[in-house]
Amino acid sequence: MSEQLNETLHFAKNWQQQLAAVFSNIDDLCRYLHLSRNDLPVSMAAAKSFPLRVPLSFAACMQKGDPHDPLLRQVLPVKEELLAFPGFSNDPVGDLPSATLTGVLHKYHGRVLFINTGSCAINCRYCFRRSFPYADLQLSKQAENDGIRYIEENPDISEVILSGGDPLLLSDARFAKLLQQLSTIKHLKRIRIHSRLPIVLPARITDEFISALTESTKPIVLIVHCNHANEINPRVIAACQRLRRNGITLFNQSVLLQGVNDNVAALCELSEQLFSNGVIPYYLHLLDKATGTGHFDVSEAAAIALIKQVQAALPGYLVPKLVKEQAGAVSKLTVF
Ligand SMILES: *Cc1c(COP(=O)(O)O)cnc(C)c1O
Ligand code: SF4
């Protein structure tokens, strides 16, 4: 990204151009944020194993000059990632071997995860995906068809969950085709999409994308991933409002992250901001214990204490369910 960064010009570009111009160099990001690399616990070794990747639309929500910015903390490769924490591993949720062939991960009753791409627009340091060897997997047409056949042949499946990576990185044409194919499956009741793009790259919500959603004969549920109220800027708000106006049900899931959102004020403000923009809080996840993420961990006891305080402060429908993933369980486990 150039030094004379012209944000107006940048945001006039289409989403693919914005995606091609993400920050991938720590010094560029530091310069943009008016920070010196010496102010930050940066680790090049951490960046080498899982690269920096930050869209400008996300970086633009960071507070310039603040080395402790909660959004910066989510994306900056730091030395703590190299520390070994007990109980942290490369496949904390036991998904690694299951999802490679057809992209279908059928773990819970009635719902399948359908992973069409392993790529993301942003690299979140706390992500369990960081240690997946096939992080850049793009499902072949053949594998995608096999996945669709699996769903067709299993009448127990009532909901397909498009996940990733980020499924909104598929082109509009490919996404529309996929929705069309899924819409023809009679026993499917809903299509659910999990994406961080409406938050980190809201330009992705194009007219073509909205048309693909509204042309589907199945109700569409979109779960955005937002961890902090500062991520919600006017472009994000406009994208969420367009989705809502077009009949898409919007929920949010967050991860509870030390130094990002592990305080009552941050969690309450996030719920308030989400609701003001048509998004209902759904889950607050405890961290998946992936190698390199231990410094983000909040203990279960501390998490419960926090969510109880949130519950005391907000209407019940603005309190997300505190959940964790447990290998072998029949659902996410509700912690509170
Ligand atoms: C989280 C998850 C789901 C969805 O669970 P909900 O509780 O319905 O949100 C489905 N399949 C897999 C494999 C998951 O990890
Ligand atoms: S899968 Fe989600 S949390 Fe992980 S890097 Fe992609 S957007 Fe971030």
Side-chain angles (χ1 to χ4, degrees), residues 91-129:
D91 187 18
V93 295
D95 284 350
L96 200 48
S98 352
T100 41
L101 286 179
T102 56
V104 167
L105 185 55
H106 193 174
K107 224 162 90 173
Y108 299 153
H109 179 76
R111 291 148 290 167
V112 289
L113 279 195
F114 197 12
I115 297 171
N116 304 80
T117 171
S119 329
C120 284
I122 184 168
N123 282 346
C124 310
R125 308 313 296 180
Y126 56 85
C127 183
F128 70 96
R129 192 188 64 90

Short mmCIF file of all heavy atoms in Angstrom, two decimals, residues 91-129:
data_model
loop_
_atom_site.label_atom_id
_atom_site.label_comp_id
_atom_site.label_asym_id
_atom_site.label_seq_id
_atom_site.Cartn_x
_atom_site.Cartn_y
_atom_site.Cartn_z
N ASP A 91 -4.84 -28.64 16.57
CA ASP A 91 -6.19 -28.99 16.12
C ASP A 91 -7.11 -29.05 17.34
O ASP A 91 -7.60 -30.11 17.71
CB ASP A 91 -6.17 -30.33 15.37
CG ASP A 91 -7.53 -30.64 14.74
OD1 ASP A 91 -8.36 -29.70 14.58
OD2 ASP A 91 -7.78 -31.81 14.42
N PRO A 92 -7.36 -27.88 17.95
CA PRO A 92 -8.05 -27.87 19.24
C PRO A 92 -9.48 -28.39 19.20
O PRO A 92 -9.99 -28.85 20.20
CB PRO A 92 -8.03 -26.39 19.64
CG PRO A 92 -7.88 -25.64 18.37
CD PRO A 92 -7.05 -26.52 17.48
N VAL A 93 -10.15 -28.31 18.03
CA VAL A 93 -11.55 -28.74 18.00
C VAL A 93 -11.73 -30.07 17.28
O VAL A 93 -12.85 -30.52 17.06
CB VAL A 93 -12.48 -27.65 17.41
CG1 VAL A 93 -12.47 -26.43 18.33
CG2 VAL A 93 -12.09 -27.24 16.02
N GLY A 94 -10.62 -30.71 16.89
CA GLY A 94 -10.70 -32.04 16.32
C GLY A 94 -11.31 -32.08 14.94
O GLY A 94 -11.87 -33.09 14.53
N ASP A 95 -11.22 -30.98 14.17
CA ASP A 95 -11.85 -30.91 12.84
C ASP A 95 -10.88 -31.26 11.72
O ASP A 95 -11.29 -31.48 10.59
CB ASP A 95 -12.35 -29.49 12.55
CG ASP A 95 -13.62 -29.18 13.31
OD1 ASP A 95 -14.19 -30.11 13.90
OD2 ASP A 95 -14.03 -28.01 13.30
N LEU A 96 -9.60 -31.24 12.03
CA LEU A 96 -8.61 -31.24 10.99
C LEU A 96 -8.78 -32.33 9.93
O LEU A 96 -8.80 -32.03 8.75
CB LEU A 96 -7.21 -31.28 11.62
CG LEU A 96 -6.05 -30.84 10.76
CD1 LEU A 96 -6.36 -29.52 10.07
CD2 LEU A 96 -4.80 -30.69 11.61
N PRO A 97 -8.93 -33.60 10.32
CA PRO A 97 -8.98 -34.60 9.27
C PRO A 97 -10.31 -34.66 8.53
O PRO A 97 -10.36 -35.12 7.40
CB PRO A 97 -8.78 -35.93 10.04
CG PRO A 97 -8.56 -35.57 11.46
CD PRO A 97 -9.04 -34.19 11.66
N SER A 98 -11.39 -34.17 9.13
CA SER A 98 -12.73 -34.44 8.61
C SER A 98 -13.11 -33.67 7.34
O SER A 98 -13.83 -34.19 6.50
CB SER A 98 -13.78 -34.16 9.68
OG SER A 98 -13.19 -33.90 10.92
N ALA A 99 -12.66 -32.43 7.21
CA ALA A 99 -13.30 -31.55 6.23
C ALA A 99 -12.56 -31.39 4.91
O ALA A 99 -12.90 -30.54 4.11
CB ALA A 99 -13.51 -30.17 6.85
N THR A 100 -11.56 -32.23 4.67
CA THR A 100 -10.69 -31.93 3.54
C THR A 100 -11.24 -32.37 2.19
O THR A 100 -11.00 -31.72 1.19
CB THR A 100 -9.32 -32.57 3.74
OG1 THR A 100 -9.51 -33.86 4.28
CG2 THR A 100 -8.47 -31.75 4.67
N LEU A 101 -11.98 -33.47 2.14
CA LEU A 101 -12.29 -34.06 0.84
C LEU A 101 -13.40 -33.33 0.09
O LEU A 101 -13.21 -32.87 -1.03
CB LEU A 101 -12.67 -35.54 1.01
CG LEU A 101 -11.45 -36.41 1.30
CD1 LEU A 101 -11.87 -37.87 1.48
CD2 LEU A 101 -10.42 -36.29 0.16
N THR A 102 -14.54 -33.19 0.73
CA THR A 102 -15.67 -32.57 0.05
C THR A 102 -15.97 -31.19 0.62
O THR A 102 -16.87 -30.51 0.15
CB THR A 102 -16.94 -33.42 0.23
OG1 THR A 102 -17.14 -33.58 1.63
CG2 THR A 102 -16.80 -34.77 -0.40
N GLY A 103 -15.22 -30.78 1.64
CA GLY A 103 -15.50 -29.50 2.27
C GLY A 103 -16.68 -29.58 3.22
O GLY A 103 -17.07 -28.57 3.80
N VAL A 104 -17.25 -30.78 3.39
CA VAL A 104 -18.43 -30.90 4.26
C VAL A 104 -18.03 -31.42 5.63
O VAL A 104 -17.31 -32.41 5.73
CB VAL A 104 -19.47 -31.86 3.62
CG1 VAL A 104 -20.54 -32.22 4.64
CG2 VAL A 104 -20.12 -31.21 2.42
N LEU A 105 -18.47 -30.74 6.66
CA LEU A 105 -18.18 -31.16 8.02
C LEU A 105 -19.50 -31.34 8.74
O LEU A 105 -20.20 -30.37 9.06
CB LEU A 105 -17.33 -30.06 8.70
CG LEU A 105 -16.82 -30.35 10.11
CD1 LEU A 105 -16.02 -31.64 10.17
CD2 LEU A 105 -15.94 -29.19 10.57
N HIS A 106 -19.88 -32.61 8.94
CA HIS A 106 -21.19 -32.94 9.50
C HIS A 106 -21.00 -33.43 10.92
O HIS A 106 -20.76 -34.61 11.15
CB HIS A 106 -21.84 -34.03 8.63
CG HIS A 106 -23.30 -34.21 8.93
ND1 HIS A 106 -24.12 -35.04 8.21
CD2 HIS A 106 -24.09 -33.64 9.87
CE1 HIS A 106 -25.36 -34.99 8.70
NE2 HIS A 106 -25.36 -34.15 9.71
N LYS A 107 -21.10 -32.51 11.86
CA LYS A 107 -20.79 -32.84 13.24
C LYS A 107 -22.04 -32.79 14.11
O LYS A 107 -22.19 -33.57 15.03
CB LYS A 107 -19.77 -31.80 13.77
CG LYS A 107 -18.64 -32.40 14.56
CD LYS A 107 -17.46 -31.42 14.67
CE LYS A 107 -17.57 -30.53 15.88
NZ LYS A 107 -16.35 -29.71 16.08
N TYR A 108 -22.93 -31.84 13.82
CA TYR A 108 -24.11 -31.63 14.66
C TYR A 108 -25.37 -32.01 13.89
O TYR A 108 -25.45 -31.89 12.67
CB TYR A 108 -24.22 -30.15 15.07
CG TYR A 108 -23.06 -29.64 15.88
CD1 TYR A 108 -22.72 -28.30 15.86
CD2 TYR A 108 -22.30 -30.50 16.68
CE1 TYR A 108 -21.66 -27.80 16.61
CE2 TYR A 108 -21.24 -30.02 17.43
CZ TYR A 108 -20.92 -28.67 17.39
OH TYR A 108 -19.88 -28.18 18.12
N HIS A 109 -26.40 -32.43 14.66
CA HIS A 109 -27.63 -32.89 14.04
C HIS A 109 -28.28 -31.80 13.17
O HIS A 109 -28.48 -30.67 13.62
CB HIS A 109 -28.63 -33.34 15.10
CG HIS A 109 -29.92 -33.80 14.50
ND1 HIS A 109 -30.04 -35.03 13.88
CD2 HIS A 109 -31.11 -33.18 14.36
CE1 HIS A 109 -31.27 -35.15 13.40
NE2 HIS A 109 -31.94 -34.04 13.66
N GLY A 110 -28.62 -32.17 11.94
CA GLY A 110 -29.41 -31.29 11.08
C GLY A 110 -28.63 -30.20 10.38
O GLY A 110 -29.16 -29.51 9.52
N ARG A 111 -27.37 -30.01 10.77
CA ARG A 111 -26.58 -28.91 10.18
C ARG A 111 -25.25 -29.43 9.67
O ARG A 111 -24.61 -30.25 10.32
CB ARG A 111 -26.28 -27.83 11.25
CG ARG A 111 -27.48 -27.04 11.71
CD ARG A 111 -27.32 -26.63 13.18
NE ARG A 111 -27.44 -27.79 14.06
CZ ARG A 111 -27.11 -27.80 15.33
NH1 ARG A 111 -26.63 -26.73 15.92
NH2 ARG A 111 -27.25 -28.90 16.05
N VAL A 112 -24.86 -28.95 8.49
CA VAL A 112 -23.49 -29.25 8.02
C VAL A 112 -22.76 -27.96 7.71
O VAL A 112 -23.34 -26.99 7.19
CB VAL A 112 -23.45 -30.12 6.74
CG1 VAL A 112 -23.88 -31.53 7.03
CG2 VAL A 112 -24.24 -29.51 5.61
N LEU A 113 -21.49 -27.97 8.04
CA LEU A 113 -20.61 -26.89 7.59
C LEU A 113 -20.15 -27.23 6.19
O LEU A 113 -19.76 -28.36 5.93
CB LEU A 113 -19.36 -26.78 8.46
CG LEU A 113 -19.38 -26.07 9.80
CD1 LEU A 113 -17.94 -25.81 10.24
CD2 LEU A 113 -20.13 -24.77 9.74
N PHE A 114 -20.22 -26.26 5.30
CA PHE A 114 -19.76 -26.46 3.93
C PHE A 114 -18.66 -25.43 3.70
O PHE A 114 -18.92 -24.22 3.66
CB PHE A 114 -20.93 -26.27 2.97
CG PHE A 114 -20.72 -26.81 1.59
CD1 PHE A 114 -19.65 -27.66 1.29
CD2 PHE A 114 -21.60 -26.50 0.55
CE1 PHE A 114 -19.47 -28.16 0.01
CE2 PHE A 114 -21.44 -27.00 -0.73
CZ PHE A 114 -20.36 -27.83 -1.00
N ILE A 115 -17.44 -25.92 3.59
CA ILE A 115 -16.28 -25.04 3.50
C ILE A 115 -15.80 -24.98 2.05
O ILE A 115 -15.30 -25.97 1.52
CB ILE A 115 -15.15 -25.55 4.42
CG1 ILE A 115 -15.64 -25.51 5.87
CG2 ILE A 115 -13.89 -24.71 4.26
CD1 ILE A 115 -14.73 -26.17 6.86
N ASN A 116 -16.05 -23.84 1.40
CA ASN A 116 -15.72 -23.73 -0.02
C ASN A 116 -14.38 -23.06 -0.28
O ASN A 116 -13.80 -23.20 -1.33
CB ASN A 116 -16.81 -22.96 -0.76
CG ASN A 116 -18.15 -23.61 -0.55
OD1 ASN A 116 -18.76 -23.41 0.49
ND2 ASN A 116 -18.57 -24.42 -1.49
N THR A 117 -13.94 -22.31 0.71
CA THR A 117 -12.62 -21.70 0.57
C THR A 117 -11.98 -21.56 1.93
O THR A 117 -12.67 -21.34 2.93
CB THR A 117 -12.69 -20.32 -0.12
OG1 THR A 117 -11.40 -19.71 -0.03
CG2 THR A 117 -13.71 -19.41 0.53
N GLY A 118 -10.68 -21.74 1.97
CA GLY A 118 -9.96 -21.60 3.23
C GLY A 118 -9.38 -20.21 3.43
O GLY A 118 -8.82 -19.92 4.47
N SER A 119 -9.55 -19.34 2.40
CA SER A 119 -8.92 -18.02 2.52
C SER A 119 -9.78 -17.05 3.29
O SER A 119 -10.99 -17.22 3.42
CB SER A 119 -8.67 -17.40 1.13
OG SER A 119 -8.44 -18.38 0.19
N CYS A 120 -9.13 -15.99 3.77
CA CYS A 120 -9.83 -14.93 4.49
C CYS A 120 -9.30 -13.58 4.02
O CYS A 120 -8.19 -13.48 3.54
CB CYS A 120 -9.57 -15.04 5.99
SG CYS A 120 -10.50 -16.36 6.75
N ALA A 121 -10.10 -12.54 4.23
CA ALA A 121 -9.66 -11.19 3.87
C ALA A 121 -8.74 -10.62 4.94
O ALA A 121 -7.96 -9.71 4.68
CB ALA A 121 -10.88 -10.28 3.72
N ILE A 122 -8.85 -11.19 6.13
CA ILE A 122 -8.07 -10.67 7.27
C ILE A 122 -7.47 -11.88 7.97
O ILE A 122 -8.07 -12.95 7.96
CB ILE A 122 -9.01 -9.88 8.22
CG1 ILE A 122 -8.25 -9.23 9.37
CG2 ILE A 122 -10.13 -10.75 8.76
CD1 ILE A 122 -9.09 -8.21 10.16
N ASN A 123 -6.29 -11.72 8.52
CA ASN A 123 -5.76 -12.81 9.33
C ASN A 123 -5.84 -12.42 10.80
O ASN A 123 -5.15 -11.52 11.25
CB ASN A 123 -4.31 -13.13 8.94
CG ASN A 123 -4.24 -13.97 7.66
OD1 ASN A 123 -5.25 -14.52 7.22
ND2 ASN A 123 -3.06 -14.06 7.08
N CYS A 124 -6.74 -13.12 11.51
CA CYS A 124 -6.95 -12.83 12.93
C CYS A 124 -6.00 -13.72 13.71
O CYS A 124 -6.00 -14.94 13.53
CB CYS A 124 -8.40 -13.14 13.32
SG CYS A 124 -9.61 -12.39 12.20
N ARG A 125 -5.22 -13.11 14.58
CA ARG A 125 -4.16 -13.85 15.26
C ARG A 125 -4.73 -14.95 16.15
O ARG A 125 -4.04 -15.93 16.45
CB ARG A 125 -3.29 -12.92 16.12
CG ARG A 125 -2.74 -11.70 15.45
CD ARG A 125 -2.11 -11.94 14.11
NE ARG A 125 -0.93 -12.80 14.13
CZ ARG A 125 -0.24 -13.13 13.04
NH1 ARG A 125 -0.60 -12.66 11.86
NH2 ARG A 125 0.79 -13.93 13.12
N TYR A 126 -5.97 -14.79 16.64
CA TYR A 126 -6.55 -15.74 17.59
C TYR A 126 -7.18 -16.94 16.89
O TYR A 126 -7.70 -17.84 17.54
CB TYR A 126 -7.62 -15.05 18.45
CG TYR A 126 -8.70 -14.39 17.61
CD1 TYR A 126 -9.79 -15.12 17.14
CD2 TYR A 126 -8.60 -13.05 17.25
CE1 TYR A 126 -10.76 -14.54 16.36
CE2 TYR A 126 -9.57 -12.45 16.45
CZ TYR A 126 -10.64 -13.20 16.01
OH TYR A 126 -11.60 -12.62 15.21
N CYS A 127 -7.13 -16.96 15.57
CA CYS A 127 -7.90 -17.94 14.80
C CYS A 127 -7.32 -19.35 14.91
O CYS A 127 -6.12 -19.53 14.81
CB CYS A 127 -7.93 -17.53 13.33
SG CYS A 127 -8.94 -18.64 12.34
N PHE A 128 -8.19 -20.35 15.08
CA PHE A 128 -7.70 -21.73 15.13
C PHE A 128 -7.27 -22.20 13.74
O PHE A 128 -6.51 -23.14 13.60
CB PHE A 128 -8.77 -22.68 15.71
CG PHE A 128 -9.95 -22.90 14.81
CD1 PHE A 128 -10.00 -24.00 13.97
CD2 PHE A 128 -11.00 -22.01 14.80
CE1 PHE A 128 -11.08 -24.21 13.13
CE2 PHE A 128 -12.09 -22.21 13.96
CZ PHE A 128 -12.13 -23.30 13.12
N ARG A 129 -7.73 -21.51 12.71
CA ARG A 129 -7.39 -21.84 11.33
C ARG A 129 -5.92 -21.57 11.01
O ARG A 129 -5.39 -22.04 10.02
CB ARG A 129 -8.28 -20.94 10.44
CG ARG A 129 -8.35 -21.25 8.99
CD ARG A 129 -9.12 -20.13 8.30
NE ARG A 129 -8.43 -18.85 8.37
CZ ARG A 129 -7.56 -18.41 7.47
NH1 ARG A 129 -7.28 -19.14 6.43
NH2 ARG A 129 -6.97 -17.25 7.63
#
